[in-house]
Amino acid sequence: MLTLGEAIARSLWAKDLTPEQLARVERETCERIIQAGDFVCHRGDRPEYWFGVIEGLVKMSSDSEAGKAVTLTSVPAGGWFGEGTLLKRELRKSDFVALRTSRLAFMPYRTFAWLLDTSIAFNQFLLHQLNERLGQFVGFVESDRIDDTNARVAHCLASLFNPILYPGMPMDVPISQAEIALLAGASRQSTNQVLRILEERGLLRVGYGSITILDLDGLRKFSG
DNA sequence: TCATTAAATTGTT
DNA sequence: AACAATTTAATGA
């Protein structure tokens, strides 16, 4: 199992830190286990940490007043999230929920701010990540307006496995069809049908509570 | 280790 | 939205 220190050390933003800088980050960052279904943080919280997923899967979601839930995006192992409101010093605008029991790194704001002040590589990483996320969400909007349900599910899955945002993401991930439906903005029933179509075409394999991506590029290009 | 049961997830209407 | 079928996890002999 990956230790907290290893998880930090192999993060993209840690590559160009000096050993002293890395040591400080490791000293000040703590690890917490979030049970499946539990919140990492709530909307309205004052942001105090930058979060890294060591192991597991976390979704960013919102609940409407009517009780309808939508998933904005998911963060797999190796991904870091929460920098948006941390940078702006605003209250959290959405919930983060563990989709399954996950091990998270909690980096305090002061450590995050210190890295921002001292490491050019860290700034470059954030710029890169924010840009990549912007592209991801533009893609979501485009997909929402243009694609039919089949293509939307395919494209949502492709963006979940984005190797630029989430390097080292295993192509086999435990996630239920109900969660995929929330992510793609489709019903569970139609998601189920789409997954079978995608499996027929050899783009992925569906298992019990999990999917395996076989052809990421094929998912990206999928239409009709 | 195996059988039983409950819970979660999937597949269909 | 409801239901049945299937798979997994948990429990205890």
Side-chain angles (χ1 to χ4, degrees):
Chain A
M1 203 199 308
L2 208 60
T3 67
L4 173 63
E6 286 166 347
I8 291 172
R10 69 173 59 183
S11 294
L12 282 179
W13 50 264
K15 281 192 172 25
D16 292 319
L17 296 183
T18 66
E20 293 75 26
Q21 286 175 317
L22 201 54
R24 170 167 172 180
V25 171
E26 285 182 23
R27 199 164 56 242
E28 296 179 355
T29 303
C30 65
E31 175 181 338
R32 285 188 207 171
I33 293 181
I34 309 290
Q35 296 298 318
D38 284 354
F39 285 79
V40 178
C41 61
H42 293 82
R43 171 161 48 183
D45 283 352
R46 186 170 307 285
E48 296 178 67
Y49 297 97
W50 193 42
F51 306 105
V53 183
I54 303 170
E55 201 178 272
L57 188 64
V58 174
K59 72 172 175 180
M60 177 182 187
S61 65
S62 281
D63 287 311
S64 73
E65 292 184 15
K68 242 179 277 181
V70 290
T71 299
L72 286 329
T73 188
S74 299
V75 186
W80 290 76
F81 63 90
E83 67 280 348
T85 47
L86 204 52
L87 282 167
K88 288 192 284 185
R89 303 266 63 195
E90 289 177 348
L91 301 183
R92 295 258 180 237
K93 289 190 182 130
S94 45
D95 299 320
F96 285 93
V97 181
L99 285 181
R100 54 180 197 268
T101 301
S102 303
R103 291 167 56 223
L104 298 191
F106 279 53
M107 182 192 292
Y109 173 72
R110 64 170 190 284
T111 313
F112 178 85
W114 168 74
L115 280 173
L116 210 55
D117 285 340
T118 54
S119 168
I120 289 176
F122 188 73
N123 282 271
Q124 287 172 336
F125 170 86
L126 277 185
L127 205 55
H128 186 247
Q129 165 149 317
L130 289 168
N131 194 30
E132 199 59 41
R133 258 202 234 294
L134 179 61
Q136 186 183 34
F137 281 103
V138 168
F140 277 143
V141 175
E142 186 181 32
S143 189
D144 186 60
R145 301 285 164 80
I146 295 172
D147 294 346
D148 61 12
T149 302
N150 292 4
R152 201 164 63 242
V153 172
H155 295 159
C156 275
L157 285 174
S159 71
L160 177 62
F161 289 83
N162 179 344
I164 297 168
L165 213 42
Y166 312 119
M169 168 88 165
M171 290 296 112
D172 186 329
V173 167
I175 183 171
S176 72
Q177 294 181 7
E179 286 298 344
I180 295 173
L182 284 175
L183 183 63
S187 70
R188 187 177 69 75
Q189 288 91 332
S190 51
T191 300
N192 176 265
Q193 296 303 309
V194 176
L195 287 177
R196 298 170 77 83
I197 291 171
L198 297 177
E199 184 173 40
E200 271 178 28
R201 301 214 187 172
L203 301 177
L204 54 79
R205 194 166 58 242
V206 304
Y208 182 81
S210 78
I211 54 167
T212 306
I213 303 298
L214 300 175
D215 182 359
L216 185 57
D217 205 46
L219 279 179
R220 279 210 198 86
K221 293 177 178 147
F222 183 89
S223 62

